[in-house]
Amino acid sequence: MARMPGATWMPIPGNYTKGGQAEVRGVVVHIMAGTLAGTDSWFRNERAQASSHFGTGRTGQLRQWVDTADRAWAQGAGNRSWLSVENEGHGGDELTDAQVDRNAEVLAWAHQRYGVPLQATNDPSGRGLGHHGMGGQAWGGHTSCPGTRIVHQKRLIVAKARILVGAAPIDDDAPPAWPGRLLMYVKGRPMMSGRDVRVWQALLNRTVHAGIVVDGQFGPSTARWTRALQARLKEPADGIVGPNTWRKAW
């Protein structure tokens, strides 16, 4: 059995091949074109002839429907050698911050269990983090799945997965450039929040072993550990993440 810690185990009665996983080359990102609840119900219908190993909800749920030792029916010819993650939403959507995190956790787990490289790929014969559309007709002809906006998020998913396992970022999957706003904590004001804050907090945990909660809220603890990292980088230790601190930290 191969069940991912942290994923809610919700096994389906059919619509998969028992013991059919030949190898694990990587993880494939999908979009549901619907809701998590609706997809769960559809996978339990024998008429569906479809399933996925994992699924995420837009608010951060992570479910596992099929054991990764078994073959889910998600991407045609790619089923034999790729794990699958269906994501709640529709074509044209971006993944939410929470969904990006859950996909990164699946990729990090696949790396640790199966040796999947922490890299993005657009090649069905490659390895790493792929997307449904890259397989073309052989993978069911769903060339618009999961959509260009989510395809562009693959680099961020890989970067977060590398942080989770303590690996250094690489040029090809490094996080986006400095987000264009100063990240800081000002006492008495609402805390800054967002995806860029979460990426920064995860980086602090990896580089200075901060142990802070990656909640996307730039509070006093995040500011304190930012100063610690700035001191290490020989930057002014003001707790403000500007372009120089951001660039040097990565």
Side-chain angles (χ1 to χ4, degrees), residues 23-236:
E23 60 174 336
V24 177
R25 302 189 65 81
V27 176
V28 176
V29 179
H30 297 249
I31 192 73
M32 289 179 184
T35 65
L36 182 62
T39 299
D40 181 88
S41 178
W42 181 236
F43 285 168
R44 298 176 191 282
N45 187 326
E46 64 180 12
R47 294 185 295 112
Q49 296 293 289
S51 62
S52 175
H53 290 101
F54 300 97
T56 76
R58 292 188 67 78
T59 56
Q61 306 95 317
L62 177 61
R63 296 181 179 178
Q64 184 173 358
W65 289 298
V66 177
D67 193 295
T68 58
D70 300 328
R71 188 190 307 173
W73 297 350
Q75 58 257 338
N79 290 337
R80 289 179 56 84
S81 51
W82 294 80
L83 305 181
S84 45
V85 184
E86 284 281 359
N87 294 280
E88 184 176 39
H90 295 83
D93 287 348
E94 276 192 339
L95 298 180
T96 64
D97 290 349
Q99 287 178 304
V100 168
D101 289 344
R102 299 296 86 74
N103 278 265
E105 289 164 7
V106 171
L107 180 60
W109 179 77
H111 168 74
Q112 293 170 325
R113 184 171 183 91
Y114 297 107
V116 171
L118 298 178
Q119 62 188 21
T121 182
N122 296 317
D123 180 1
S125 298
R127 292 172 61 83
L129 181 69
H131 63 281
H132 192 183
M134 76 183 191
Q137 291 302 314
W139 283 22
H142 298 277
T143 55
S144 62
C145 178
T148 56
R149 297 179 74 184
I150 294 176
V151 171
H152 291 158
Q153 290 179 294
K154 284 164 59 180
R155 293 178 64 189
L156 179 59
I157 293 169
V158 170
K160 287 196 167 190
R162 294 184 70 84
I163 291 170
L164 288 172
V165 303
I170 56 178
D171 290 343
D172 199 35
D173 65 13
W178 177 63
R181 63 168 180 160
L182 298 174
L183 303 180
M184 68 182 80
Y185 168 71
V186 179
K187 187 175 182 180
R189 295 186 186 177
M191 287 187 286
M192 301 183 73
S193 62
R195 178 186 303 162
D196 46 4
V197 176
R198 293 175 67 89
V199 171
W200 181 252
Q201 289 172 322
L203 176 68
L204 289 174
N205 283 344
R206 179 175 64 83
T207 55
V208 291
H209 308 290
I212 57 179
V213 176
V214 181
D215 59 3
Q217 301 292 320
F218 200 105
S221 178
T222 301
R224 181 173 68 254
W225 285 105
T226 296
R227 290 192 291 271
L229 178 56
Q230 287 172 322
R232 178 182 295 185
L233 297 173
K234 302 189 185 306
E235 283 283 297

